[in-house]
Amino acid sequence: MKDVQIESGWKEVLREEFGKPYFTELREWVRNEYKSKVVYPPAKQIFNAFDLCPFEKVKVVILGQDPYHGPGQAHGLCFSVLDGVPFPPSLQNIFKEIKDDIKKPIPKSGDLSYLARQGVFLLNATLTVEKDKAGSHQNRGWEIFTDSVIKILAEQKSNLVFLLWGAFAGKKESLIPPNKHLVLKSAHPSPLSAYRGFFGNSHFSKTNEYLLKFEKEPIDW
């Protein structure tokens, strides 16, 4: 629809989705939530993951569940926080695994925009949340939309890497045709589960090996 502000390539492939009744209802509901409550991320950053990683540039998909619900954290990229914001525990563990896997030092900023610009699509299953209320915007239509996004990527592109961490993300494997992409699954980076298989998963080096195999530029994690 005309009033969805999103990168032009995504707008084209999602045009049909934006016209569906569920999305019209979702858009109206979200608009009212922003008018009446404190909702994250800021409205202009709802589609930040799409805007920073245009459809034709997507090489890797990382799936989160819900935006951060604390002030100044969420900015439309899963697991990412703005410069100067303390690293949430899952993000700390992601950086720790990157360091252990590919020997890259832990950065000073938790802003993952640098990954998005390289073709890492940092998608949350739910794109908005009410302040201090985790999961408050689940089951309103966002998951229908983001499942469609995953399906479209999986169908229209080839040789992507999908990083699915935790049980929730792992279920999305059913949306991805087998043998067309690399799907890497492990425990979630949350402190509750990171020691049950996230640490030591080597997903970052495995991703780059796969990209190089198909003559794609590896990610500078």
Side-chain angles (χ1 to χ4, degrees):
M1 299 295 283
K2 282 205 298 269
D3 58 348
V4 178
Q5 301 298 310
I6 196 169
E7 187 271 331
S8 59
W10 282 109
K11 192 161 199 170
E12 194 51 48
V13 297
L14 295 170
R15 190 175 297 280
E16 196 178 309
E17 207 62 31
F18 290 145
K20 290 180 180 175
Y22 88 86
F23 194 85
T24 305
E25 281 174 36
L26 169 66
R27 193 176 61 228
E28 205 49 45
W29 183 80
V30 168
R31 196 174 276 155
N32 287 330
E33 288 289 293
Y34 272 91
K35 278 181 191 165
S36 59
K37 296 169 186 169
V38 178
V39 178
Y40 301 127
K44 287 190 171 162
Q45 294 178 332
I46 292 173
F47 294 109
N48 208 16
F50 300 79
D51 294 334
L52 290 178
C53 186
F55 181 76
E56 82 260 7
K57 291 194 173 173
V58 177
K59 295 190 281 193
V60 181
V61 179
I62 298 180
L63 189 71
Q65 189 163 0
D66 219 29
Y68 295 122
H69 54 268
Q73 291 181 304
H75 65 121
L77 307 177
C78 71
F79 296 108
S80 179
V81 290
L82 288 170
D83 203 11
V85 176
F87 299 174
S90 292
L91 183 58
Q92 285 181 35
N93 288 339
I94 289 167
F95 284 143
K96 185 175 186 300
E97 177 57 25
I98 289 172
K99 182 174 181 244
D100 291 347
D101 182 15
I102 57 170
K103 311 298 178 260
K104 189 167 183 216
I106 291 172
K108 291 188 167 55
S109 170
D111 186 346
L112 302 182
S113 299
Y114 75 99
L115 294 179
R117 291 190 184 96
Q118 294 179 72
V120 181
F121 184 48
L122 296 156
L123 180 68
N124 273 316
T126 302
L127 297 188
T128 54
V129 69
E130 187 181 341
K131 180 187 176 185
D132 297 333
K133 292 189 179 177
S136 51
H137 286 194
Q138 290 174 5
N139 304 314
R140 291 286 181 168
W142 277 132
E143 296 92 337
I144 302 170
F145 174 70
T146 52
D147 279 2
S148 295
V149 169
I150 294 166
K151 279 189 210 160
I152 287 166
L153 277 167
E155 285 163 11
Q156 295 194 19
K157 298 180 84 74
S158 50
N159 309 128
L160 297 177
V161 183
F162 289 86
L163 302 182
L164 306 180
W165 300 330
F168 174 84
K171 288 177 186 155
K172 304 299 180 180
E173 187 177 16
S174 64
L175 305 172
I176 303 160
N179 310 318
K180 193 181 175 191
H181 305 283
L182 176 64
V183 176
L184 296 174
K185 293 163 72 178
S186 79
H188 194 275
S190 153
L192 301 172
S193 56
Y195 287 95
R196 296 205 298 270
F198 179 78
F199 289 138
N201 68 17
S202 304
H203 279 186
F204 305 100
S205 57
K206 286 174 181 172
T207 293
N208 280 351
E209 283 164 22
Y210 183 83
L211 293 175
L212 284 165
K213 191 167 114 180
F214 292 97
E215 299 182 343
K216 296 184 183 185
E217 188 77 23
I219 304 300
D220 180 6
W221 297 103

